Amino acid sequence: MKVYDNQHIKNVVLLGSPKSGKTTLAETMLFEAGLLNRRGTVETHNTVSDFHDIEHQRENSIYATPLHTEWRGYKINIIDTPGLDDFIGEIVSSVRVADTCVLTINAQNGVEVGTEIIWNYINQFRKPSIIAINQLDHNKADFESSLESLKSSLGDAVALMQYPFNPGEGFNAIIDLLKMTMYEFPEEGGRPKKLPIPKSEKEKAEQLHNELVEKAAINDEALMELYFEQGNLDEDQLRKGLRLGMLKHDVFPVFCISAKQNMGSGRLMGFIDNVAPSATDLSSITTEEGEPYECKADGKVSLFIFKTMIEPYLGKISFFKVCSGEVSLGMDLINAETGTTERLNQLFIMDGSERHPVQKLLAGDIGATVKLKDSSTNHTLHEPGYPVKLAPMIFPEPRIRVAIVAESKNDEEKLSEVIKDLHEEDPTLNIEFSKELKQLILSAQGELHLSITQWRLEHIYNLKIHYEDPRISYRETIQKQSNANYRHKKQSGGAGQFAEVSMTILPYTEGMDDPSGFNIRDKQVIKLAWGGKLIFYNCIVGGVIDARFIPSILKGVMEKMEDGPITGSYVRDVCVLVHDGKMHAVDSNDISFKIAGLQAFKRAFLNADPKIMEPVNDLKVMVPEELMGEVITDLQTRRALITGINTKNQYQLIQAKVPLKEITHYSSALKSITQGRASFSTQFSEYAPVPFELQKQLMNQQTLVEA
């Protein structure tokens, strides 16, 4: 396979909402370049990129798939991504290593909620972007409306490169404003005829051409002077201005295509070759310390692993971008994260499931290797003696949690191991065993994300599982001072057990003074692992309890705080003062005082006006304005407190505080209410008291459990 230098390697990521035609466009680009003899389709399950069984079943991309094509002396690496934000991790990693984003817009719908979500990540990485309005052959295609929605969302940076001559059924012609030519395509698509712009379109085309020239000229002083002198710019000058604008993230060229009919894709690929930046043009790579890192062909070797895939029979495949230097077969590199040495025994260019062996890859290129011992997504490998650690990708927090249960007890250990593998493939899928909830908790991006995970576990790893609602991590605390005494006495032949403890407890607030009226001999401030504090005072005078038993009393208190008296939840923010008690010269021991301390604390707690605190999350919902009322009404049924409503382009951003208990199934509910047109994010905010009726219900449930 030909080795391309870094100026002739272009990395693009195809982004867009579901059904915007990304996979079809990728297939057409490979076909147009002659790498395929026949184009596959999503419906016939034979495209290069969507090759997994689950993608065939759903007829949707689930994974980001690297491909490549070669077009007029350039190598174009393509990453086809999912359109659903349940798989946002695949999108984030792909945008990170791409040099140019190609945002596909369905001409029937224009900018959609999914488009907005994806655009936020393009903005975050400040990547040069091209917009392709697709499906212009559809009978409901509305180019003007799609263009207006783009301008509304992205502003004046939208730069119209082309417009369709006859969108809708019978679409076969595009007027190109850069070349001032009309491209007319044959019925089967492919190579178009170059024709003069029809007289009926001449005035419109010239006006739009002038607007394009102004957008290109404004990015460079020399070009602006030329424009003022000449009143126009030639093609090369236009390309230069557009390229500079793309690098500044100030120009987003718009192209017209029908990927399904193979119309316009060649012109798009030509623009990627001639105008879109390469990796060496960008300044977006930084080290972990935030320092710029230059992509140089003659630099020291470094590569960044952006994706991991684990195949049952092949093992671990690591996808990487060469960030500097020249990577060659058999090379030894150091993992900046672990310090271990990794040998690149195999190098590949990947086209879906196909692997093409190569001997070397240059800076800016994308490739893959297999069976790295100790390297994962987000790791940097570097040349020995020249350490560098590139900034890791930051993935969004999970939005949905479930308890995952193996149908067979024998599969529990295997399940934990397999989920770790799935997390390595998809960092937005998290697993942990909650000691507090006594459940294995799986966190994901949405219901579909969970559904795909279950499918993989059952069909690939032969693990039968089911999901349950996770228990809620309540907290217990108190609202007033309370006293209690407990005597533990047990005699069963020989040495017995005896301990008596008297204590006072009261609520703790940050910065409060020590309680008055007690002879405080010692104070311990214990920062609790689950949040809040325990302030433990030893107020024993006169030796009624030996000092060696005080730690045992504290141990008993802590044990009960881990299994709260009301619901079995963690206790927080309590002051405990041990001020009296009794002991026996023979029968008193550590276990006796631990039990007495535990029981005294429990009695005092139940008499101290206890209250249950529940986790409350910050929730943000992005929703079309016409659906805002239904979303707010639903939130109010979930005990939500609306904290703000802001306009963001044509969407409304609703901000609210909602108890975690009420958003367990919010992902599917929101999708149902808005027909999938809204998105949301959530993260923990604080603990707040539960309503009286709910506290009563929770206390009754605990009573039944203990009974």
Side-chain angles (χ1 to χ4, degrees):
M1 183 172 287
K2 182 179 176 181
V3 176
Y4 289 82
D5 65 59
N6 54 359
Q7 289 298 323
H8 288 79
I9 298 170
K10 301 297 176 79
N11 301 310
V12 301
V13 55
L14 304 183
L15 304 163
S17 295
K19 306 301 181 184
S20 60
K22 301 179 296 298
T23 299
T24 303
L25 176 58
E27 192 79 5
T28 298
M29 291 170 77
L30 268 63
F31 175 77
E32 183 74 5
L35 272 70
L36 297 178
N37 296 322
R38 179 175 175 273
R39 285 191 300 159
T41 68
V42 172
E43 293 77 18
T44 54
H45 310 155
N46 59 348
T47 55
V48 175
S49 61
D50 283 3
F51 63 90
H52 295 89
D53 289 344
I54 186 62
E55 292 176 314
H56 293 164
Q57 285 188 25
R58 296 192 56 83
E59 296 187 353
N60 258 325
S61 297
I62 302 297
Y63 305 95
T65 305
L67 316 160
H68 95 286
T69 189
E70 299 171 21
W71 185 250
R72 297 175 183 171
Y74 284 82
K75 178 185 181 185
I76 304 176
N77 290 316
I78 304 164
I79 306 178
D80 179 25
T81 64
L84 294 159
D85 65 341
D86 281 62
F87 310 108
I88 194 69
E90 302 281 337
I91 296 170
V92 169
S93 59
S94 301
V95 172
R96 166 63 184 268
V97 297
D99 306 322
T100 300
C101 300
V102 176
L103 184 64
T104 58
I105 301 294
N106 187 331
Q108 302 166 67
N109 304 325
V111 173
E112 303 172 69
V113 168
T115 315
E116 291 275 358
I117 295 166
I118 290 164
W119 189 257
N120 288 338
Y121 285 98
I122 295 174
N123 259 336
Q124 178 182 319
F125 290 108
R126 303 290 294 175
K127 289 297 175 78
S129 302
I130 298 169
I131 299 164
I133 299 181
N134 191 18
Q135 301 179 27
L136 286 165
D137 57 307
H138 197 279
N139 60 4
K140 293 184 179 178
D142 188 339
F143 177 79
E144 294 300 331
S145 176
S146 296
L147 183 62
E148 284 306 309
S149 69
L150 281 166
K151 289 179 178 179
S152 175
S153 296
L154 309 182
D156 292 337
V158 173
L160 191 61
M161 303 291 297
Q162 303 172 327
Y163 69 89
F165 178 61
N166 54 346
E169 285 188 64
F171 165 72
N172 71 338
I174 294 168
I175 293 177
D176 193 288
L177 302 171
L178 177 63
K179 294 183 174 290
M180 289 302 285
T181 299
M182 186 169 87
Y183 293 103
E184 186 179 86
F185 296 89
E187 188 175 341
E188 67 278 6
R191 186 182 295 275
K193 292 178 184 177
K194 296 181 182 179
L195 302 173
I197 296 174
K199 288 183 180 180
S200 61
E201 297 294 321
K202 197 74 175 174
E203 183 179 346
K204 177 181 178 181
E206 286 178 353
Q207 179 186 338
L208 293 173
H209 173 78
N210 290 336
E211 291 177 9
L212 180 63
V213 171
E214 288 179 15
K215 279 186 166 63
I218 202 170
N219 294 292
D220 184 77
E221 286 187 18
L223 289 177
M224 184 62 80
E225 289 178 10
L226 275 173
Y227 175 56
F228 286 141
E229 288 175 12
Q230 303 170 177
N232 206 340
L233 297 176
D234 63 29
E235 278 189 37
D236 288 339
Q237 291 162 346
L238 271 172
R239 290 192 188 98
K240 179 183 177 182
L242 292 170
R243 181 190 185 87
L244 290 171
M246 290 175 69
L247 284 167
K248 294 175 183 176
H249 210 56
D250 287 337
V251 171
F252 310 129
V254 177
F255 284 81
C256 300
I257 62 172
S258 167
K260 186 175 182 179
Q261 301 299 328
N262 189 15
M263 296 179 182
S265 56
R267 181 73 183 91
L268 174 63
M269 292 163 71
F271 187 84
I272 291 170
D273 285 350
N274 298 325
V275 181
S278 64
T280 52
D281 298 319
L282 301 180
S283 58
S284 57
I285 302 177
T286 60
T287 65
E288 192 176 44
E289 294 77 26
E291 297 296 322
Y293 186 75
E294 192 174 353
C295 179
K296 297 189 298 183
D298 59 352
K300 298 300 178 183
V301 175
S302 67
L303 59 85
F304 180 77
I305 299 174
F306 68 92
K307 176 178 169 66
T308 301
M309 190 164 70
I310 299 174
E311 294 288 345
Y313 302 108
L314 183 61
K316 183 162 70 173
I317 305 174
S318 301
F319 294 85
F320 60 83
K321 182 176 184 178
V322 184
C323 296
S324 182
E326 180 182 302
V327 172
S328 57
L329 193 64
M331 179 176 279
D332 287 333
L333 297 175
I334 308 299
N335 185 315
E337 190 76 28
T338 64
T340 56
T341 299
E342 298 279 17
R343 172 158 290 187
L344 305 180
N345 288 314
Q346 300 181 61
L347 286 178
F348 301 105
I349 297 295
M350 299 291 290
D351 285 322
S353 61
E354 296 292 320
R355 291 175 289 152
H356 308 291
V358 294
Q359 293 297 311
K360 63 180 179 180
L361 294 167
L362 303 187
D365 213 342
I366 288 174
T369 188
V370 296
K371 299 179 181 178
L372 295 181
K373 301 190 302 287
D374 198 27
S375 298
S376 302
T377 299
N378 256 341
H379 287 185
T380 303
L381 303 186
H382 61 79
E383 189 173 332
Y386 298 92
V388 62
K389 192 174 183 182
L390 300 176
M393 298 174 286
I394 299 173
F395 293 98
E397 291 295 316
R399 297 176 299 179
I400 188 170
R401 300 162 62 250
V402 294
I404 182 170
V405 181
E407 299 281 347
S408 169
K409 291 287 183 183
N410 297 330
D411 286 338
E412 287 181 353
E413 186 175 341
K414 182 183 177 183
L415 174 62
S416 297
E417 292 303 314
V418 168
I419 291 290
K420 289 177 184 176
D421 286 346
L422 296 186
H423 170 72
E424 187 169 5
E425 289 189 274
D426 181 0
T428 67
L429 190 72
N430 296 324
I431 187 77
E432 65 168 341
F433 179 78
S434 172
K435 179 184 173 185
E436 175 185 2
L437 305 179
K438 300 176 179 63
Q439 291 177 309
L440 190 63
I441 302 297
L442 182 66
S443 302
Q445 294 298 312
E447 299 280 0
L448 180 58
H449 200 191
L450 291 174
S451 177
I452 297 300
T453 301
Q454 183 170 12
W455 186 94
R456 295 191 66 195
L457 289 171
E458 293 183 352
H459 290 82
I460 298 176
Y461 296 97
N462 198 30
L463 281 170
K464 297 292 183 183
I465 61 104
H466 67 269
Y467 296 137
E468 296 177 354
D469 287 348
R471 302 182 184 105
I472 302 299
S473 51
Y474 293 109
R475 295 289 182 266
E476 300 179 19
T477 191
I478 55 174
Q479 301 180 86
K480 70 177 186 181
Q481 182 172 319
S482 173
N483 305 312
N485 173 271
Y486 186 85
R487 173 180 289 187
H488 175 68
K489 185 176 182 180
K490 187 177 181 182
Q491 194 72 39
S492 57
Q497 294 181 1
F498 180 86
E500 186 173 329
V501 172
S502 294
M503 68 172 59
T504 297
I505 67 172
L506 62 153
Y508 167 77
T509 55
E510 196 67 37
M512 67 181 284
D513 295 330
D514 291 337
S516 59
F518 296 90
N519 294 309
I520 298 172
R521 298 183 58 192
D522 183 51
K523 173 184 177 182
Q524 295 184 57
V525 179
I526 302 168
K527 192 173 181 180
L528 302 168
W530 51 85
K533 291 180 180 178
L534 163 66
I535 314 299
F536 186 82
Y537 296 93
N538 176 9
C539 305
I540 296 296
V541 293
V544 293
I545 299 176
D546 197 296
R548 63 192 173 97
F549 293 130
I550 299 299
S552 298
I553 298 172
L554 173 58
K555 190 174 181 181
V557 170
M558 284 293 294
E559 188 173 302
K560 196 59 197 168
M561 289 185 73
E562 290 190 29
D563 183 22
I566 313 176
T567 63
S569 304
Y570 289 136
V571 174
R572 58 177 287 167
D573 297 330
V574 177
C575 297
V576 174
L577 302 102
V578 179
H579 50 76
D580 202 359
K582 293 179 181 178
M583 63 180 182
H584 188 276
V586 176
D587 293 343
S588 289
N589 52 31
D590 287 328
I591 188 65
S592 300
F593 274 99
K594 174 187 166 185
I595 294 170
L598 184 154
Q599 294 296 339
F601 177 78
K602 180 179 178 181
R603 284 184 177 181
F605 192 93
L606 293 172
N607 291 322
D609 194 10
K611 66 177 176 180
I612 301 172
M613 310 283 285
E614 65 179 341
V616 174
N617 280 22
D618 284 325
L619 180 72
K620 294 181 180 179
V621 185
M622 181 100 64
V623 60
E625 186 172 2
E626 64 269 21
L627 296 172
M628 184 173 67
E630 288 91 331
V631 172
I632 289 176
T633 299
D634 176 71
L635 286 174
Q636 288 170 341
T637 68
R638 298 173 185 274
R639 298 191 282 129
L641 173 64
I642 307 297
T643 58
I645 300 174
N646 299 304
T647 300
K648 190 171 182 182
N649 300 321
Q650 66 268 47
Y651 293 92
Q652 297 295 313
L653 179 63
I654 303 170
Q655 300 177 68
K657 290 189 178 296
V658 191
L660 177 62
K661 177 181 172 63
E662 305 296 339
I663 53 175
T664 300
H665 299 287
Y666 189 63
S667 176
S668 54
L670 183 65
K671 193 165 290 186
S672 175
I673 293 167
T674 65
Q675 295 81 51
R677 296 179 62 202
S679 65
F680 77 100
S681 62
T682 180
Q683 63 180 18
F684 172 76
S685 173
E686 61 190 351
Y687 275 92
V690 302
F692 174 77
E693 286 300 321
L694 179 56
Q695 173 154 328
K696 187 177 177 182
Q697 179 185 337
L698 290 169
M699 292 175 70
N700 290 338
Q701 288 174 358
Q702 184 68 11
T703 301
L704 289 172
V705 170
E706 292 176 351

